[in-house]
């Protein structure tokens, strides 16, 4: 039984009556208590004595149900969700097809370990991802559980294939929190601070960052290639790993031509070109994979987050001869491609097609750009509006400069939560507000959420 917080009457802690999430939840912002409400406060108190202080949460309330475009908290408040659990619930939270597929699979078997007794959904998912990732060539996949694990395995595969060791990543990159991926991630605080030593043979090249460097794509690529040639040497380089639109680093869209030039140099030099599409992949940007928007066909693609609607699944998909390079048994893991997750992923891919969600992501891009460009016109603290599909951000600066304003980003996100909107920050400087709504969100709720944000900006 739930303990009541002293001084709070049972009526005040009545909380939500919802027993189900999914798209049938009322699609509106509706606050019935202060934020956080009494039940969230009570859970926060228990959390602070039981959960590591090293694990943070950006929202002050606890979730009870979610679906469509809302998250309902334990006090019955309904928030517009502009975060999708960091780009995961792309097809919607508790999407009906996902719930059905996982329920059916859970009732049949929950686990055998693909390395012991294989099952068909693993094979079918590999076939589907081979079709959906860019490039008309033979492809194969291996499945894991987290995005970081997919990136680690892409590097293992590239090293096995090339017999080389070095890995090149970019400024502002985010690739994960495991030892190798911490080395690949750019930002120290909070991801790396005090956690070294890091894995060796990871080199960092300059990215294309149009708002800050003003370079066109080919010029920015030449600058990065010079670093690779002079500081690493193509003969030592196993892989280049790059996010087609940088996620945690600030939703940075490289200038046109940057990614194709890097990919072409990789091909000429026998270097494996890896697109880390953990955040951009699976319809988020209005294409199945963001590399396609630049006409790039990566040798390997890392996939996670949106692919399985919240079930832990990640993949490396790419050129068959490269993915086959490690020795048999060289790739795997107890839970990699768990049957609940592969069933969920097949349902996610079907839902994207059945509900026309690539097109929906492009419509969301139009709405987001319209609202945010109007805001930028009025408010000189909005320095840049950028992104692709339902992956859009504003970079906040001191008016008239490019000096980052992280305090403003934090203030807006905090104030928006008080008013019923979940919005996340990102960026090496912490000055970027990012918008990642589920593609199941409706226009009316999106407009309502941006009315709230306009109000927050107008208030100072
Ligand atoms: N590659 C491009 O965006 C995860 C991390 C949030 P995992 N991004 C969210 C946090 O603070 O931990 C991410 C990504 C890209 C790799 C990863 C790592 O994916 O599933 O979190 O391991």
């Amino acid at each position: 039984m739930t303990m009541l917080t002293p001084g709070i009457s049972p009526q005040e802690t009545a909380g939500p009556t919802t027993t189900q999430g999914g798209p049938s939840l009322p699609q509106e912002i509706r606050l019935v208590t202060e934020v956080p409400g009494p039940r969230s406060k009570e859970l926060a108190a228990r959390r602070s004595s039981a959960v590591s202080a090293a694990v943070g949460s950006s929202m002050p309330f606890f979730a009870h149900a979610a679906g469509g475009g809302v998250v309902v908290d334990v006090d019955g408040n309904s928030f517009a969700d502009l975060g999708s659990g960091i780009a995961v619930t792309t097809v919607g939270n508790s999407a009906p097809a996902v719930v059905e597929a996982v329920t059916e699979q859970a009732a049949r078997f929950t686990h055998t370990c693909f390395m012991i007794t294989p099952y068909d959904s693993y094979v079918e998912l590999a076939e589907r991802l081979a079709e959906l990732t860019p490039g008309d060539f033979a492809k194969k996949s291996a499945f894991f559980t987290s995005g970081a694990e997919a990136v680690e395995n892409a590097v293992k595969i590239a090293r096995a294939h090339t017999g080389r060791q070095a890995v090149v990543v970019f400024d502002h990159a985010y690739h994960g929190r495991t030892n190798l991926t911490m080395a690949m991630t750019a930002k120290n605080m909070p991801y790396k601070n005090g956690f070294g030593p890091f894995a060796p043979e990871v080199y960092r090249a300059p990215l294309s960052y149009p708002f800050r460097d003003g370079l066109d794509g080919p010029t920015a690529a030449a600058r990065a290639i010079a670093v690779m040639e002079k500081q690493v040497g193509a003969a030592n380089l196993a892989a280049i790993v790059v996010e087609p639109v940088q996620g945690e680093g600030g939703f940075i869209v490289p200038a046109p031509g940057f990614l194709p030039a890097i990919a072409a140099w990789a091909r000429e030099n026998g270097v494996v070109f890896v697109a880390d599409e953990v955040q951009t992949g699976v319809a988020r940007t209005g294409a199945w994979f963001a590399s396609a928007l630049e006409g790039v066909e990566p040798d390997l693609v890392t996939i996670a987050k949106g692919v399985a609607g919240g079930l832990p699944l990640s993949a490396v998909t790419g050129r068959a001869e490269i993915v086959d390079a490690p020795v048999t048994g060289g790739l795997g893991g107890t839970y990699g491609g768990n049957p609940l997750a592969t069933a969920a992923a097949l349902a996610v891919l079907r839902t994207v097609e059945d509900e026309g969600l690539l097109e929906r992501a492009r419509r969301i891009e139009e709405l987001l750009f319209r609202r945010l460009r109007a805001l930028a016109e009025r408010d000189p603290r909005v320095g840049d509006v950028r992104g692709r599909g339902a992956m859009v951000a504003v970079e906040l600066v001191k008016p008239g400069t490019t000096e980052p304003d992280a305090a403003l980003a934090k203030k807006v996100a905090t104030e928006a939560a008080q008013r019923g909107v979940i919005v996340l920050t990102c960026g090496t400087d912490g000055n970027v507000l990012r918008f990642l709504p589920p593609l199941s969100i409706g226009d009316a709720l999106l407009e309502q959420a941006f009315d709230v944000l306009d109000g927050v900006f107008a208030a100072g």
Side-chain angles (χ1 to χ4, degrees):
M1 210 187 121
T2 321
M3 298 269 292
L4 294 180
T5 311
I8 306 275
S9 74
Q11 210 172 3
E12 280 173 286
T13 60
T17 50
T18 334
T19 53
Q20 277 196 323
S24 56
L25 288 172
Q27 296 297 303
E28 60 181 9
I29 297 171
R30 189 163 164 267
L31 299 182
V32 296
T33 70
E34 59 175 4
V35 176
R39 289 188 164 210
S40 278
K41 280 189 185 147
E42 183 196 319
L43 284 163
R46 283 169 50 198
R47 169 200 174 130
S48 67
S49 36
V51 178
S52 166
V55 180
S57 297
S58 37
M59 293 299 125
F61 50 86
F62 281 71
H64 173 75
V70 298
V71 174
V72 179
D73 78 359
V74 288
D75 291 288
N77 298 304
S78 176
F79 298 84
D81 181 10
L82 304 186
S84 302
I86 323 187
V88 170
T89 54
T90 306
V91 298
N93 229 311
S94 294
V98 173
V99 173
E100 195 186 323
V102 172
T103 307
E104 190 277 333
Q105 179 61 52
R108 231 156 19 88
F109 62 94
T110 49
H111 177 83
T112 57
C113 188
F114 192 78
M115 299 184 302
I116 306 296
T117 310
Y119 36 88
D120 61 351
S121 58
Y122 191 114
V123 178
E124 190 180 340
L125 183 59
E127 290 167 350
R128 291 292 288 131
L129 292 176
E131 288 161 13
L132 297 173
T133 46
D136 189 15
F137 41 80
K139 295 181 206 134
K140 291 190 177 183
S141 290
F143 298 130
F144 310 96
T145 41
S146 68
E149 220 187 334
V151 174
E152 290 246 1
N153 278 280
V155 171
K156 283 163 70 172
I157 291 166
R159 285 176 172 160
H161 172 72
T162 58
R164 307 173 184 173
Q165 294 185 348
V167 177
V168 160
V169 291
F170 289 85
D171 287 335
H172 309 285
Y174 184 92
H175 297 294
R177 294 175 181 267
T178 59
N179 188 264
L180 173 59
T181 58
M182 274 193 294
M184 297 169 70
T185 288
K187 189 174 176 177
N188 173 51
M189 194 64 93
Y191 308 124
K192 305 167 73 163
N193 193 53
F195 296 148
F198 303 112
E201 287 303 315
V202 176
Y203 301 86
R204 197 168 303 284
L207 183 77
S208 162
Y209 190 164
F211 178 62
R212 295 194 169 275
D213 64 24
L215 298 179
D216 63 33
T219 309
R223 186 175 63 165
I225 289 166
V227 168
M228 295 194 271
E229 287 180 341
K230 294 190 183 124
Q231 298 181 28
V232 188
N236 301 308
L237 187 51
I240 298 169
V241 184
V242 63
E243 299 155 82
V245 176
Q246 272 195 340
E248 304 305 306
F251 279 30
I252 304 163
V253 186
F258 176 79
L259 291 172
I262 300 286
W265 183 86
R267 195 164 49 245
E268 283 156 24
N269 290 280
V271 176
V272 177
F273 182 88
V274 184
D276 180 351
E277 296 236 23
V278 165
Q279 191 152 165
T280 51
V282 194
R284 174 56 53 190
T285 64
W288 278 105
F289 292 92
S291 306
L293 297 170
E294 273 282 315
V296 169
E297 296 179 351
D299 297 313
L300 301 178
V301 183
T302 55
I303 306 165
K305 290 188 184 282
V307 73
L311 278 284
L313 180 89
S314 66
V316 179
T317 300
R319 287 185 189 276
E321 67 278 16
I322 301 182
V323 179
D324 275 343
V327 293
T328 300
L331 303 179
T334 306
Y335 295 112
N338 169 276
L340 301 174
T342 48
L346 289 169
V348 164
L349 302 180
R350 266 199 315 276
T351 304
V352 170
E353 281 180 340
D354 293 350
E355 298 185 359
L357 294 183
L358 299 179
E359 178 59 21
R360 179 66 192 138
R362 295 192 280 264
R363 292 284 86 78
I364 289 176
E365 175 185 305
E366 283 171 18
L367 192 153
L368 262 46
F369 276 150
R370 171 169 56 74
R371 295 295 305 240
L372 293 169
R373 283 178 179 145
L375 176 66
E377 287 281 300
R378 292 194 302 275
D379 196 322
R381 298 170 299 177
V382 178
D384 195 23
V385 181
R386 58 180 180 247
R388 286 189 188 280
M391 182 173 184
V392 169
V394 289
E395 178 156 359
L396 304 179
V397 293
K398 307 281 186 204
T401 73
T402 55
E403 197 189 322
D405 191 346
L408 178 62
K410 194 166 179 217
K411 187 167 150 246
V412 172
T414 306
E415 183 60 27
Q418 303 297 321
R419 300 189 191 193
V421 178
I422 299 173
V423 48
L424 313 179
T425 61
C426 65
T428 304
D429 293 303
N431 67 322
V432 178
L433 276 180
R434 58 170 150 172
F435 305 97
L436 289 162
L439 304 180
S440 52
I441 198 168
D443 281 357
L445 182 57
L446 269 179
E447 300 279 7
Q448 196 190 1
F450 279 93
D451 290 345
V452 168
L453 282 167
D454 282 351
V456 172
F457 272 93

